[in-house]
mmCIF file of all heavy atoms in Angstrom:
data_model
loop_
_atom_site.group_PDB
_atom_site.id
_atom_site.type_symbol
_atom_site.label_atom_id
_atom_site.label_comp_id
_atom_site.label_asym_id
_atom_site.label_seq_id
_atom_site.Cartn_x
_atom_site.Cartn_y
_atom_site.Cartn_z
ATOM 1 N N MET S 173 16.897 0.460 -11.289
ATOM 2 C CA MET S 173 18.125 0.422 -10.504
ATOM 3 C C MET S 173 18.487 -1.008 -10.141
ATOM 4 O O MET S 173 17.626 -1.881 -10.000
ATOM 5 C CB MET S 173 17.965 1.252 -9.222
ATOM 6 C CG MET S 173 17.979 2.744 -9.465
ATOM 7 S SD MET S 173 17.766 3.664 -7.911
ATOM 8 C CE MET S 173 17.935 5.339 -8.502
ATOM 9 N N LEU S 174 19.789 -1.251 -9.969
ATOM 10 C CA LEU S 174 20.275 -2.565 -9.593
ATOM 11 C C LEU S 174 20.100 -2.805 -8.098
ATOM 12 O O LEU S 174 19.999 -1.860 -7.311
ATOM 13 C CB LEU S 174 21.750 -2.699 -9.972
ATOM 14 C CG LEU S 174 22.068 -2.518 -11.461
ATOM 15 C CD1 LEU S 174 23.586 -2.547 -11.660
ATOM 16 C CD2 LEU S 174 21.390 -3.578 -12.299
ATOM 17 N N MET S 175 20.098 -4.074 -7.700
ATOM 18 C CA MET S 175 19.898 -4.407 -6.289
ATOM 19 C C MET S 175 20.987 -3.831 -5.390
ATOM 20 O O MET S 175 20.739 -3.523 -4.230
ATOM 21 C CB MET S 175 19.835 -5.927 -6.111
ATOM 22 C CG MET S 175 18.526 -6.536 -6.568
ATOM 23 S SD MET S 175 18.311 -8.225 -5.992
ATOM 24 C CE MET S 175 18.128 -7.968 -4.240
ATOM 25 N N ASP S 176 22.235 -3.713 -5.931
ATOM 26 C CA ASP S 176 23.317 -3.194 -5.098
ATOM 27 C C ASP S 176 23.294 -1.678 -4.953
ATOM 28 O O ASP S 176 24.162 -1.090 -4.325
ATOM 29 C CB ASP S 176 24.683 -3.655 -5.614
ATOM 30 C CG ASP S 176 24.946 -3.237 -7.046
ATOM 31 O OD1 ASP S 176 24.086 -2.545 -7.626
ATOM 32 O OD2 ASP S 176 26.011 -3.607 -7.575
ATOM 33 N N GLU S 177 22.277 -1.055 -5.542
ATOM 34 C CA GLU S 177 22.103 0.391 -5.399
ATOM 35 C C GLU S 177 21.014 0.699 -4.377
ATOM 36 O O GLU S 177 20.219 1.612 -4.551
ATOM 37 C CB GLU S 177 21.748 1.020 -6.752
ATOM 38 C CG GLU S 177 22.815 0.845 -7.822
ATOM 39 C CD GLU S 177 22.380 1.381 -9.176
ATOM 40 O OE1 GLU S 177 21.373 0.883 -9.707
ATOM 41 O OE2 GLU S 177 23.052 2.287 -9.692
ATOM 42 N N THR S 178 20.999 -0.053 -3.293
ATOM 43 C CA THR S 178 19.913 0.026 -2.311
ATOM 44 C C THR S 178 19.739 1.429 -1.744
ATOM 45 O O THR S 178 18.613 1.930 -1.637
ATOM 46 C CB THR S 178 20.162 -0.972 -1.163
ATOM 47 O OG1 THR S 178 20.253 -2.284 -1.709
ATOM 48 C CG2 THR S 178 19.010 -0.922 -0.163
ATOM 49 N N ALA S 179 20.827 2.082 -1.341
ATOM 50 C CA ALA S 179 20.731 3.414 -0.738
ATOM 51 C C ALA S 179 20.142 4.414 -1.718
ATOM 52 O O ALA S 179 19.271 5.216 -1.358
ATOM 53 C CB ALA S 179 22.105 3.871 -0.264
ATOM 54 N N GLU S 180 20.585 4.361 -2.968
ATOM 55 C CA GLU S 180 20.073 5.290 -3.974
ATOM 56 C C GLU S 180 18.616 4.988 -4.306
ATOM 57 O O GLU S 180 17.812 5.898 -4.522
ATOM 58 C CB GLU S 180 20.921 5.213 -5.243
ATOM 59 C CG GLU S 180 20.568 6.290 -6.266
ATOM 60 C CD GLU S 180 21.457 6.256 -7.491
ATOM 61 O OE1 GLU S 180 22.424 5.471 -7.507
ATOM 62 O OE2 GLU S 180 21.163 7.016 -8.434
ATOM 63 N N ARG S 181 18.272 3.698 -4.328
ATOM 64 C CA ARG S 181 16.872 3.327 -4.577
ATOM 65 C C ARG S 181 15.973 3.872 -3.482
ATOM 66 O O ARG S 181 14.893 4.401 -3.762
ATOM 67 C CB ARG S 181 16.728 1.807 -4.650
ATOM 68 C CG ARG S 181 17.141 1.208 -5.964
ATOM 69 C CD ARG S 181 16.520 -0.127 -6.213
ATOM 70 N NE ARG S 181 16.716 -1.069 -5.127
ATOM 71 C CZ ARG S 181 16.289 -2.322 -5.166
ATOM 72 N NH1 ARG S 181 15.626 -2.779 -6.202
ATOM 73 N NH2 ARG S 181 16.504 -3.139 -4.140
ATOM 74 N N TYR S 197 11.249 -0.278 2.229
ATOM 75 C CA TYR S 197 11.752 -1.100 1.132
ATOM 76 C C TYR S 197 10.575 -1.578 0.294
ATOM 77 O O TYR S 197 9.635 -2.192 0.805
ATOM 78 C CB TYR S 197 12.530 -2.310 1.659
ATOM 79 C CG TYR S 197 13.352 -2.976 0.577
ATOM 80 C CD1 TYR S 197 14.670 -2.603 0.351
ATOM 81 C CD2 TYR S 197 12.799 -3.967 -0.231
ATOM 82 C CE1 TYR S 197 15.423 -3.204 -0.655
ATOM 83 C CE2 TYR S 197 13.537 -4.571 -1.238
ATOM 84 C CZ TYR S 197 14.854 -4.183 -1.432
ATOM 85 O OH TYR S 197 15.587 -4.767 -2.434
#
Side-chain angles (χ1 to χ4, degrees):
M173 286 179 176
L174 301 175
M175 285 194 68
D176 58 3
E177 298 175 300
T178 301
E180 188 177 354
R181 281 202 307 183
Y197 195 91

